[in-house]
Amino acid sequence: FDSESRTEIRENQGLLALSNCLSSTNWRVQEEALMALANCAFDIPCKQTIGSLGGMKNGISLLSNPADIVVANACVALSRLVFDFMSGTDFMEQEGVPQLYTVLDRYVVAYQAYREYQDKIDAGEEVAIPDGETEPQLPDLKLGKSILENCKACGEQGNVRQMMRQG
């Protein structure tokens, strides 16, 4: 959205309407509402309004969604919402740092499992897949990029960076 559109959305209660969708029990509705809000989060008044309406809290909660695309979109949204000391504080108070670390860890573990499996296949080894499991797949690279960009954006705020270093 351009600046004029964002202002009109904010002034006509559009951010409030979208934030109401964040309380839906349908995670797809939550994800789409969060992405629409993230597309508005390019100026300070919109970012502040989105944060005060629960955008940060809901974005963090979507990080635990099992669908990679939802997690990737939540990372994109959160990277736009953490922009100053106060939003960084909100991110930390809502347990954003541990949740982000959990997402990063899950991604790294999935990638390592894929690499180990692929290395054995490439070496000509026979790899037994336990019953009920499938062979490891390469994790979504868009998700990996979104996670790292979110870590970078959050780490640009000194208070968040300090908590990330503590780990």
Side-chain angles (χ1 to χ4, degrees):
F1 303 124
D2 63 11
S3 177
E4 190 175 311
S5 298
R6 289 191 302 272
T7 301
E8 188 169 338
I9 289 169
R10 187 179 70 249
E11 290 175 354
N12 290 305
Q13 304 300 313
L15 296 176
L16 178 61
L18 287 168
S19 70
N20 288 338
C21 293
L22 293 173
S23 62
S24 169
T25 56
N26 183 326
W27 60 264
R28 289 293 297 165
V29 171
Q30 291 175 341
E31 175 200 15
E32 294 298 329
L34 185 63
M35 285 311 296
L37 288 167
N39 287 331
C40 293
F42 284 101
D43 55 35
I44 302 294
C46 281
K47 289 180 183 201
Q48 290 171 331
T49 302
I50 293 166
S52 70
L53 293 171
M56 184 77 71
K57 178 182 176 186
N58 286 286
I60 292 167
S61 72
L62 287 174
L63 290 175
S64 62
N65 191 287
D68 286 349
I69 189 67
V70 175
V71 175
N73 287 335
C75 285
V76 170
L78 289 168
S79 68
R80 294 180 187 165
L81 294 176
V82 179
F83 66 96
D84 65 0
F85 182 85
M86 290 307 297
S87 60
T89 300
D90 190 23
F91 182 74
M92 292 184 308
E93 288 174 353
Q94 299 291 332
E95 300 297 317
V97 173
Q99 190 72 354
L100 183 57
Y101 276 165
T102 299
V103 168
L104 179 59
D105 184 59
R106 190 173 65 223
Y107 186 86
V108 169
V109 166
Y111 183 79
Q112 287 174 333
Y114 169 77
R115 278 301 342 138
E116 289 171 6
Y117 172 79
Q118 210 48 51
D119 289 346
K120 288 179 181 177
I121 296 295
D122 292 346
E125 295 179 34
E126 191 171 312
V127 181
I129 307 292
D131 289 339
E133 292 186 23
T134 59
E135 62 184 51
Q137 299 294 314
L138 178 64
D140 183 357
L141 297 177
K142 179 185 178 215
L143 173 60
K145 181 179 178 190
S146 297
I147 294 168
L148 293 176
E149 286 176 353
N150 191 10
C151 288
K152 178 184 175 239
C154 292
E156 287 175 356
Q157 304 312 315
N159 54 345
V160 178
R161 182 175 52 249
Q162 184 178 8
M163 186 175 191
M164 291 172 86
R165 285 182 177 158
Q166 294 170 357

